[in-house]
Amino acid sequence: MTNKLAAILTSLLLPAAAAAQLPVPLPKSLVFPNYDNVLLGKDQALEGGSFIARAADASANFYNPAGLVQAEKTSLNASSTGWVRTKLTSEALNTSVTSSKIDNVPGYLGAVLEVPFVDSRNVRMGLSLTRQVAWAPGGIDISSSETTVEGLNRVTYSTSAAFTTQLYQLAVAFSPMQSRAFRVGVSAGLADTSYSNSGTLSGLVDVGGGPGQFLTTLRASGDIWDVVFGAGVQWDVIAGLTVGAVVRSKGIGIGNSSLVTYESSILAPTRDPQTSFFRDDAGRFEYQLPLEASFGVAYRFGAAQIEADVRFHDATDPYDFYRSNVPIQITTGSGTGAGTSSSSVALNPIRYSSRRVYNYSFGGNYALGRIATLHAGFYTSYSPVADETTSPFRKADLYGATGGVDFQFEHFGASIGAGYQWGKSAPTSLQLGNQTLAGSGITLQAISILYAISYQF
């Protein structure tokens, strides 16, 4: 029965943990680990993040440190995705379930400062706190008694997950020219990547003509800290035409922590009851930040500006996303009252790898006058998942569009806008004997309100 149940659940719900030989496996998490889908900055977020060549205020800490030197005075910039409605639709088990969540996603806090003890207008320093990745959608809860799989009478599954990368960074920018037409910058930061996932899977299955029941729960969390270095350049080639480029190093891991708890039980009248348990707070969690390189071209004409950017994220070779030296403890009872027996099985590492990704963004603005400016943009966020079958994450290409208006006064600035993001992870057709079952695909739709403020001293 155990083999039959594992085969049904493995094929039915595409669990990433199947390779770990869990007695009752769980589906993969709802995390999409896509890059470049968090929008930052007062004006930048409204233009799909296309600001590698034009970054010229505190947001340059993130987009291109070279742009810090264009700030005339000390300034602050804070932005947020203030209201997000994420809609996840899963179609599996002949059931369509939609989950929505309204949430606040903090994005960016940065400052550009004059460098202490350096009497030069052509040198600036920046400090920033940036949420580079922010993925915390609403959970999915599915229950169905129409599974189309012989012997599987009911399946109930609920899950929620979160995945974030936060970067604490220091940057310095310099221009060797009095006109500041050519600018360079360097940065160093500490990145904290955090992952959490919780899920419950239960159901009824026929065993030898009698009803059997299974239940499994998983709670997993992990953090890893990396040191990241970067360098950027901007060049005003001719009047109105500017190019920019940024390179960021791979993350250099300096520490990690994790806690994983797993428990399952299988009960049936025709077999001995069985329970499984795993808990480890000293396993190794790892997520590798890849090498990045970006390039942008901007052009200004009259009251309008446009920019097109391309962002490259390198591939990573397969590595252990999570591994542990603690075995799974399995306890089997005896229906005859002869006591229980215990055994253990090793938890195989969960593997992950990423593929090379090129993301694109295009944006522009038009000044309505001295104070107000209209903005609009479009961007892509393609999936870095290399192997969809073994990855602990979902694979889906995402697309987004943004727009809004900003207001700039002598010292104070503010912006308000909206964004829409969409994408889909395709379901997989599976053959179970002479039956075909569609795996669980996820459709994503997210509507967000973007707002930001800035202050120049």
Side-chain angles (χ1 to χ4, degrees), residues 9 12-13 24-27 93 95 97 140-147 152-159 199-205 213-217:
L9 298 177
L12 178 63
L13 295 171
V24 180
L26 275 166
L93 308 173
T95 303
V97 175
I140 287 288
D141 197 315
I142 298 175
S143 183
S144 176
S145 58
E146 299 181 9
T147 67
L152 189 60
N153 296 332
R154 187 188 72 216
V155 171
T156 300
Y157 173 57
S158 63
T159 182
T200 300
L201 179 68
S202 62
L204 295 176
V205 61
Q213 182 180 15
F214 60 90
L215 170 66
T216 181
T217 62

mmCIF file of all heavy atoms in Angstrom, residues 9 12-13 24-27 93 95 97 140-147 152-159 199-205 213-217:
data_model
loop_
_atom_site.group_PDB
_atom_site.id
_atom_site.type_symbol
_atom_site.label_atom_id
_atom_site.label_comp_id
_atom_site.label_asym_id
_atom_site.label_seq_id
_atom_site.Cartn_x
_atom_site.Cartn_y
_atom_site.Cartn_z
ATOM 1 N N LEU A 9 0.555 9.735 -5.140
ATOM 2 C CA LEU A 9 0.771 11.119 -4.719
ATOM 3 C C LEU A 9 1.913 11.773 -5.471
ATOM 4 O O LEU A 9 1.861 12.953 -5.808
ATOM 5 C CB LEU A 9 1.043 11.161 -3.213
ATOM 6 C CG LEU A 9 -0.100 10.662 -2.328
ATOM 7 C CD1 LEU A 9 0.310 10.688 -0.869
ATOM 8 C CD2 LEU A 9 -1.336 11.495 -2.564
ATOM 9 N N LEU A 12 0.491 12.501 -8.896
ATOM 10 C CA LEU A 12 -0.672 13.380 -8.845
ATOM 11 C C LEU A 12 -0.285 14.825 -8.589
ATOM 12 O O LEU A 12 -0.775 15.743 -9.229
ATOM 13 C CB LEU A 12 -1.615 12.893 -7.744
ATOM 14 C CG LEU A 12 -2.878 13.710 -7.480
ATOM 15 C CD1 LEU A 12 -3.758 13.683 -8.712
ATOM 16 C CD2 LEU A 12 -3.604 13.197 -6.272
ATOM 17 N N LEU A 13 0.607 15.055 -7.619
ATOM 18 C CA LEU A 13 0.852 16.419 -7.167
ATOM 19 C C LEU A 13 2.280 16.899 -7.402
ATOM 20 O O LEU A 13 2.664 17.949 -6.893
ATOM 21 C CB LEU A 13 0.512 16.526 -5.679
ATOM 22 C CG LEU A 13 -0.974 16.316 -5.373
ATOM 23 C CD1 LEU A 13 -1.192 16.224 -3.874
ATOM 24 C CD2 LEU A 13 -1.794 17.448 -5.948
ATOM 25 N N VAL A 24 5.323 9.673 2.901
ATOM 26 C CA VAL A 24 4.197 10.321 2.233
ATOM 27 C C VAL A 24 4.711 11.673 1.740
ATOM 28 O O VAL A 24 4.891 12.594 2.519
ATOM 29 C CB VAL A 24 2.995 10.520 3.173
ATOM 30 C CG1 VAL A 24 1.845 11.195 2.425
ATOM 31 C CG2 VAL A 24 2.536 9.182 3.734
ATOM 32 N N PRO A 25 4.979 11.816 0.454
ATOM 33 C CA PRO A 25 5.602 13.041 -0.060
ATOM 34 C C PRO A 25 4.614 14.192 -0.150
ATOM 35 O O PRO A 25 3.402 14.005 -0.104
ATOM 36 C CB PRO A 25 6.087 12.627 -1.454
ATOM 37 C CG PRO A 25 5.151 11.535 -1.853
ATOM 38 C CD PRO A 25 4.804 10.799 -0.599
ATOM 39 N N LEU A 26 5.153 15.399 -0.275
ATOM 40 C CA LEU A 26 4.361 16.614 -0.369
ATOM 41 C C LEU A 26 4.624 17.311 -1.701
ATOM 42 O O LEU A 26 5.709 17.186 -2.271
ATOM 43 C CB LEU A 26 4.714 17.571 0.769
ATOM 44 C CG LEU A 26 3.986 17.357 2.091
ATOM 45 C CD1 LEU A 26 4.688 18.131 3.192
ATOM 46 C CD2 LEU A 26 2.542 17.796 1.984
ATOM 47 N N PRO A 27 3.646 18.068 -2.199
ATOM 48 C CA PRO A 27 3.877 18.851 -3.416
ATOM 49 C C PRO A 27 4.939 19.914 -3.191
ATOM 50 O O PRO A 27 5.247 20.295 -2.068
ATOM 51 C CB PRO A 27 2.515 19.485 -3.694
ATOM 52 C CG PRO A 27 1.542 18.639 -2.938
ATOM 53 C CD PRO A 27 2.270 18.142 -1.737
ATOM 54 N N LEU A 93 -7.169 17.893 -9.762
ATOM 55 C CA LEU A 93 -8.155 17.053 -9.109
ATOM 56 C C LEU A 93 -9.577 17.413 -9.531
ATOM 57 O O LEU A 93 -10.512 17.361 -8.738
ATOM 58 C CB LEU A 93 -8.030 17.186 -7.583
ATOM 59 C CG LEU A 93 -6.635 16.966 -6.989
ATOM 60 C CD1 LEU A 93 -6.635 17.283 -5.521
ATOM 61 C CD2 LEU A 93 -6.165 15.560 -7.234
ATOM 62 N N THR A 95 -10.735 20.236 -9.849
ATOM 63 C CA THR A 95 -11.162 21.336 -9.003
ATOM 64 C C THR A 95 -10.363 22.585 -9.366
ATOM 65 O O THR A 95 -9.159 22.519 -9.561
ATOM 66 C CB THR A 95 -10.928 21.012 -7.512
ATOM 67 O OG1 THR A 95 -11.615 19.804 -7.197
ATOM 68 C CG2 THR A 95 -11.427 22.130 -6.615
ATOM 69 N N VAL A 97 -9.389 26.196 -7.796
ATOM 70 C CA VAL A 97 -9.405 26.938 -6.543
ATOM 71 C C VAL A 97 -8.627 28.226 -6.736
ATOM 72 O O VAL A 97 -7.525 28.232 -7.293
ATOM 73 C CB VAL A 97 -8.776 26.113 -5.397
ATOM 74 C CG1 VAL A 97 -8.700 26.949 -4.132
ATOM 75 C CG2 VAL A 97 -9.600 24.864 -5.146
ATOM 76 N N ILE A 140 -2.885 28.113 -0.896
ATOM 77 C CA ILE A 140 -3.798 27.321 -1.717
ATOM 78 C C ILE A 140 -4.400 26.224 -0.832
ATOM 79 O O ILE A 140 -3.678 25.561 -0.083
ATOM 80 C CB ILE A 140 -3.054 26.688 -2.914
ATOM 81 C CG1 ILE A 140 -2.718 27.750 -3.952
ATOM 82 C CG2 ILE A 140 -3.894 25.587 -3.534
ATOM 83 C CD1 ILE A 140 -3.911 28.254 -4.736
ATOM 84 N N ASP A 141 -5.692 26.031 -0.932
ATOM 85 C CA ASP A 141 -6.373 24.981 -0.174
ATOM 86 C C ASP A 141 -7.293 24.229 -1.134
ATOM 87 O O ASP A 141 -8.275 24.788 -1.623
ATOM 88 C CB ASP A 141 -7.171 25.589 0.980
ATOM 89 C CG ASP A 141 -7.540 24.547 2.027
ATOM 90 O OD1 ASP A 141 -7.978 23.448 1.624
ATOM 91 O OD2 ASP A 141 -7.383 24.822 3.222
ATOM 92 N N ILE A 142 -6.967 22.961 -1.419
ATOM 93 C CA ILE A 142 -7.704 22.162 -2.392
ATOM 94 C C ILE A 142 -8.237 20.909 -1.711
ATOM 95 O O ILE A 142 -7.520 20.255 -0.952
ATOM 96 C CB ILE A 142 -6.806 21.749 -3.576
ATOM 97 C CG1 ILE A 142 -6.292 22.977 -4.332
ATOM 98 C CG2 ILE A 142 -7.540 20.826 -4.534
ATOM 99 C CD1 ILE A 142 -5.314 22.638 -5.439
ATOM 100 N N SER A 143 -9.478 20.558 -1.978
ATOM 101 C CA SER A 143 -10.049 19.304 -1.511
ATOM 102 C C SER A 143 -10.956 18.759 -2.596
ATOM 103 O O SER A 143 -11.760 19.502 -3.169
ATOM 104 C CB SER A 143 -10.846 19.497 -0.215
ATOM 105 O OG SER A 143 -11.332 18.260 0.251
ATOM 106 N N SER A 144 -10.792 17.468 -2.912
ATOM 107 C CA SER A 144 -11.585 16.883 -3.979
ATOM 108 C C SER A 144 -11.827 15.407 -3.708
ATOM 109 O O SER A 144 -10.940 14.692 -3.237
ATOM 110 C CB SER A 144 -10.886 17.043 -5.330
ATOM 111 O OG SER A 144 -11.631 16.396 -6.354
ATOM 112 N N SER A 145 -13.048 14.958 -4.018
ATOM 113 C CA SER A 145 -13.376 13.537 -3.945
ATOM 114 C C SER A 145 -13.502 12.935 -5.338
ATOM 115 O O SER A 145 -13.890 11.783 -5.481
ATOM 116 C CB SER A 145 -14.691 13.345 -3.167
ATOM 117 O OG SER A 145 -15.742 14.064 -3.786
ATOM 118 N N GLU A 146 -13.173 13.732 -6.363
ATOM 119 C CA GLU A 146 -13.198 13.266 -7.749
ATOM 120 C C GLU A 146 -11.781 13.347 -8.300
ATOM 121 O O GLU A 146 -11.389 14.298 -8.961
ATOM 122 C CB GLU A 146 -14.147 14.111 -8.593
ATOM 123 C CG GLU A 146 -15.592 14.060 -8.122
ATOM 124 C CD GLU A 146 -16.509 14.893 -8.991
ATOM 125 O OE1 GLU A 146 -16.048 15.361 -10.053
ATOM 126 O OE2 GLU A 146 -17.678 15.074 -8.629
ATOM 127 N N THR A 147 -10.980 12.335 -7.980
ATOM 128 C CA THR A 147 -9.572 12.364 -8.335
ATOM 129 C C THR A 147 -9.267 11.730 -9.678
ATOM 130 O O THR A 147 -8.178 11.906 -10.200
ATOM 131 C CB THR A 147 -8.739 11.644 -7.264
ATOM 132 O OG1 THR A 147 -9.066 10.248 -7.289
ATOM 133 C CG2 THR A 147 -9.050 12.211 -5.878
ATOM 134 N N LEU A 152 -8.003 6.175 -5.125
ATOM 135 C CA LEU A 152 -7.777 7.420 -4.397
ATOM 136 C C LEU A 152 -9.117 8.135 -4.270
ATOM 137 O O LEU A 152 -9.617 8.729 -5.219
ATOM 138 C CB LEU A 152 -6.760 8.295 -5.135
ATOM 139 C CG LEU A 152 -6.253 9.536 -4.402
ATOM 140 C CD1 LEU A 152 -5.560 9.155 -3.103
ATOM 141 C CD2 LEU A 152 -5.285 10.321 -5.298
ATOM 142 N N ASN A 153 -9.709 8.078 -3.084
ATOM 143 C CA ASN A 153 -11.089 8.535 -2.913
ATOM 144 C C ASN A 153 -11.209 10.005 -2.552
ATOM 145 O O ASN A 153 -12.219 10.645 -2.829
ATOM 146 C CB ASN A 153 -11.787 7.700 -1.839
ATOM 147 C CG ASN A 153 -11.911 6.249 -2.264
ATOM 148 O OD1 ASN A 153 -11.977 5.941 -3.453
ATOM 149 N ND2 ASN A 153 -11.924 5.343 -1.295
ATOM 150 N N ARG A 154 -10.220 10.538 -1.882
ATOM 151 C CA ARG A 154 -10.267 11.951 -1.512
ATOM 152 C C ARG A 154 -8.859 12.462 -1.274
ATOM 153 O O ARG A 154 -8.017 11.748 -0.704
ATOM 154 C CB ARG A 154 -11.097 12.171 -0.249
ATOM 155 C CG ARG A 154 -11.325 13.675 0.075
ATOM 156 C CD ARG A 154 -11.991 13.862 1.433
ATOM 157 N NE ARG A 154 -11.068 13.558 2.530
ATOM 158 C CZ ARG A 154 -11.430 12.973 3.656
ATOM 159 N NH1 ARG A 154 -12.681 12.563 3.809
ATOM 160 N NH2 ARG A 154 -10.537 12.750 4.615
ATOM 161 N N VAL A 155 -8.591 13.697 -1.675
ATOM 162 C CA VAL A 155 -7.315 14.356 -1.405
ATOM 163 C C VAL A 155 -7.600 15.773 -0.928
ATOM 164 O O VAL A 155 -8.389 16.498 -1.540
ATOM 165 C CB VAL A 155 -6.411 14.393 -2.648
ATOM 166 C CG1 VAL A 155 -5.200 15.276 -2.388
ATOM 167 C CG2 VAL A 155 -5.944 13.002 -3.014
ATOM 168 N N THR A 156 -6.977 16.169 0.168
ATOM 169 C CA THR A 156 -7.048 17.543 0.671
ATOM 170 C C THR A 156 -5.619 18.060 0.824
ATOM 171 O O THR A 156 -4.779 17.379 1.417
ATOM 172 C CB THR A 156 -7.772 17.601 2.028
ATOM 173 O OG1 THR A 156 -9.098 17.108 1.861
ATOM 174 C CG2 THR A 156 -7.834 19.030 2.548
ATOM 175 N N TYR A 157 -5.377 19.241 0.286
ATOM 176 C CA TYR A 157 -4.022 19.797 0.310
ATOM 177 C C TYR A 157 -4.090 21.292 0.571
ATOM 178 O O TYR A 157 -4.855 22.017 -0.067
ATOM 179 C CB TYR A 157 -3.324 19.531 -1.027
ATOM 180 C CG TYR A 157 -1.975 20.218 -1.158
ATOM 181 C CD1 TYR A 157 -0.971 19.982 -0.228
ATOM 182 C CD2 TYR A 157 -1.713 21.095 -2.204
ATOM 183 C CE1 TYR A 157 0.260 20.595 -0.341
ATOM 184 C CE2 TYR A 157 -0.474 21.708 -2.327
ATOM 185 C CZ TYR A 157 0.506 21.468 -1.394
ATOM 186 O OH TYR A 157 1.719 22.082 -1.495
ATOM 187 N N SER A 158 -3.293 21.779 1.532
ATOM 188 C CA SER A 158 -3.183 23.208 1.809
ATOM 189 C C SER A 158 -1.715 23.566 1.961
ATOM 190 O O SER A 158 -0.915 22.770 2.475
ATOM 191 C CB SER A 158 -3.951 23.588 3.076
ATOM 192 O OG SER A 158 -3.396 22.935 4.211
ATOM 193 N N THR A 159 -1.360 24.771 1.511
ATOM 194 C CA THR A 159 0.040 25.188 1.572
ATOM 195 C C THR A 159 0.145 26.705 1.557
ATOM 196 O O THR A 159 -0.722 27.404 1.026
ATOM 197 C CB THR A 159 0.839 24.607 0.391
ATOM 198 O OG1 THR A 159 2.214 24.992 0.518
ATOM 199 C CG2 THR A 159 0.306 25.124 -0.937
ATOM 200 N N GLY A 199 2.877 23.001 4.727
ATOM 201 C CA GLY A 199 1.838 22.335 3.958
ATOM 202 C C GLY A 199 1.287 21.127 4.687
ATOM 203 O O GLY A 199 1.955 20.529 5.539
ATOM 204 N N THR A 200 0.056 20.788 4.337
ATOM 205 C CA THR A 200 -0.606 19.605 4.882
ATOM 206 C C THR A 200 -1.279 18.853 3.743
ATOM 207 O O THR A 200 -1.958 19.459 2.910
ATOM 208 C CB THR A 200 -1.663 19.993 5.925
ATOM 209 O OG1 THR A 200 -1.035 20.695 6.998
ATOM 210 C CG2 THR A 200 -2.354 18.754 6.476
ATOM 211 N N LEU A 201 -1.078 17.547 3.706
ATOM 212 C CA LEU A 201 -1.677 16.694 2.687
ATOM 213 C C LEU A 201 -2.356 15.518 3.380
ATOM 214 O O LEU A 201 -1.750 14.850 4.215
ATOM 215 C CB LEU A 201 -0.602 16.186 1.726
ATOM 216 C CG LEU A 201 -1.057 15.252 0.602
ATOM 217 C CD1 LEU A 201 -1.924 16.000 -0.397
ATOM 218 C CD2 LEU A 201 0.152 14.634 -0.092
ATOM 219 N N SER A 202 -3.623 15.260 3.043
ATOM 220 C CA SER A 202 -4.341 14.143 3.647
ATOM 221 C C SER A 202 -5.332 13.585 2.645
ATOM 222 O O SER A 202 -5.631 14.213 1.627
ATOM 223 C CB SER A 202 -5.074 14.595 4.918
ATOM 224 O OG SER A 202 -6.045 15.591 4.605
ATOM 225 N N GLY A 203 -5.863 12.397 2.943
ATOM 226 C CA GLY A 203 -6.831 11.820 2.035
ATOM 227 C C GLY A 203 -7.214 10.401 2.407
ATOM 228 O O GLY A 203 -6.711 9.815 3.379
ATOM 229 N N LEU A 204 -8.110 9.847 1.594
ATOM 230 C CA LEU A 204 -8.582 8.484 1.747
ATOM 231 C C LEU A 204 -8.212 7.675 0.512
ATOM 232 O O LEU A 204 -8.296 8.178 -0.614
ATOM 233 C CB LEU A 204 -10.102 8.454 1.929
ATOM 234 C CG LEU A 204 -10.661 9.106 3.192
ATOM 235 C CD1 LEU A 204 -12.188 9.063 3.164
ATOM 236 C CD2 LEU A 204 -10.128 8.428 4.447
ATOM 237 N N VAL A 205 -7.806 6.424 0.721
ATOM 238 C CA VAL A 205 -7.448 5.552 -0.382
ATOM 239 C C VAL A 205 -7.891 4.129 -0.040
ATOM 240 O O VAL A 205 -7.812 3.700 1.121
ATOM 241 C CB VAL A 205 -5.924 5.610 -0.655
ATOM 242 C CG1 VAL A 205 -5.137 5.150 0.549
ATOM 243 C CG2 VAL A 205 -5.552 4.813 -1.900
ATOM 244 N N GLN A 213 -6.331 5.776 5.323
ATOM 245 C CA GLN A 213 -6.191 7.214 5.511
ATOM 246 C C GLN A 213 -4.719 7.579 5.629
ATOM 247 O O GLN A 213 -3.937 6.847 6.237
ATOM 248 C CB GLN A 213 -6.937 7.664 6.772
ATOM 249 C CG GLN A 213 -6.875 9.161 7.026
ATOM 250 C CD GLN A 213 -7.621 9.563 8.285
ATOM 251 O OE1 GLN A 213 -7.954 8.713 9.107
ATOM 252 N NE2 GLN A 213 -7.905 10.839 8.445
ATOM 253 N N PHE A 214 -4.345 8.708 5.053
ATOM 254 C CA PHE A 214 -2.979 9.199 5.199
ATOM 255 C C PHE A 214 -3.021 10.675 5.559
ATOM 256 O O PHE A 214 -3.944 11.410 5.206
ATOM 257 C CB PHE A 214 -2.161 8.988 3.920
ATOM 258 C CG PHE A 214 -2.718 9.691 2.711
ATOM 259 C CD1 PHE A 214 -2.338 10.985 2.393
ATOM 260 C CD2 PHE A 214 -3.625 9.049 1.882
ATOM 261 C CE1 PHE A 214 -2.845 11.628 1.277
ATOM 262 C CE2 PHE A 214 -4.141 9.684 0.766
ATOM 263 C CZ PHE A 214 -3.751 10.967 0.457
ATOM 264 N N LEU A 215 -2.003 11.135 6.298
ATOM 265 C CA LEU A 215 -1.888 12.528 6.708
ATOM 266 C C LEU A 215 -0.408 12.869 6.820
ATOM 267 O O LEU A 215 0.362 12.120 7.414
ATOM 268 C CB LEU A 215 -2.567 12.759 8.062
ATOM 269 C CG LEU A 215 -2.322 14.124 8.725
ATOM 270 C CD1 LEU A 215 -2.956 15.246 7.899
ATOM 271 C CD2 LEU A 215 -2.860 14.135 10.153
ATOM 272 N N THR A 216 -0.018 13.991 6.244
ATOM 273 C CA THR A 216 1.368 14.430 6.327
ATOM 274 C C THR A 216 1.428 15.943 6.463
ATOM 275 O O THR A 216 0.605 16.664 5.877
ATOM 276 C CB THR A 216 2.172 13.975 5.098
ATOM 277 O OG1 THR A 216 3.530 14.407 5.220
ATOM 278 C CG2 THR A 216 1.601 14.558 3.814
ATOM 279 N N THR A 217 2.355 16.438 7.251
ATOM 280 C CA THR A 217 2.546 17.868 7.443
ATOM 281 C C THR A 217 4.034 18.198 7.307
ATOM 282 O O THR A 217 4.903 17.376 7.635
ATOM 283 C CB THR A 217 2.060 18.332 8.825
ATOM 284 O OG1 THR A 217 2.834 17.673 9.840
ATOM 285 C CG2 THR A 217 0.587 18.018 9.024
#
